[in-house]
Amino acid sequence: TWQGQRFPEDGTILPTLEAWARQDPHLASWIASQRLKAVRWRDDQYRQFAAILRRRYRRAFIEDTNWRALQRRPMPEEESTSGALREHARIAAVGRLLQYIKESVPEVVAVNAAYTSQRCHVCQAVVAFDAANLYVTCPDCDLLIDQDRRAAVNLLDLGSSGDVMPESPEPLA
């Protein structure tokens, strides 16, 4: 439309837009190719990790978390950061990693994930979750431990014993 309805001041912008229009499909194709390469690389890393687990362990304990439902839940963070956080979670594709583990390891046990990162694995006290600090000290037994490590120990204990994690009392301050 613009080419048929020219005006005097468009002499520099129209050629630039035409060059962009010729280049844009190429760039869109390149971006799609890069995205596909990144996904394939990630999936290959996940398959290699699952193969290592298969060689080392007969059984894997995983959280019974529905990652797809979590991805759809509204983010508590303010809108300016939630888009980036959601995009990073989608790129990481935790559900995809779990799929490879389930396909690779002979026995996979889904364990109730409730309070696994909050419950002290030594004294069973529930410590309030603190997203700002990775390491948290238990107020009952003074154990300082990484919240992710505590969750892993709790998942292993629960899965090994076959117990269901009890309902939690109010977290300690």
Side-chain angles (χ1 to χ4, degrees), residues 25-46:
H26 166 72
L27 293 177
S29 174
W30 182 81
I31 289 170
S33 173
Q34 293 300 312
R35 183 178 299 121
L36 183 60
K37 280 191 217 177
V39 167
R40 287 180 177 159
W41 178 86
R42 178 203 64 205
D43 287 352
D44 184 55
Q45 295 296 308
Y46 286 177

Side-chain angles (χ1 to χ4, degrees), residues 126-139:
V126 176
V127 182
F129 180 75
D130 184 1
N133 295 314
L134 185 58
Y135 287 89
V136 177
T137 302
C138 175

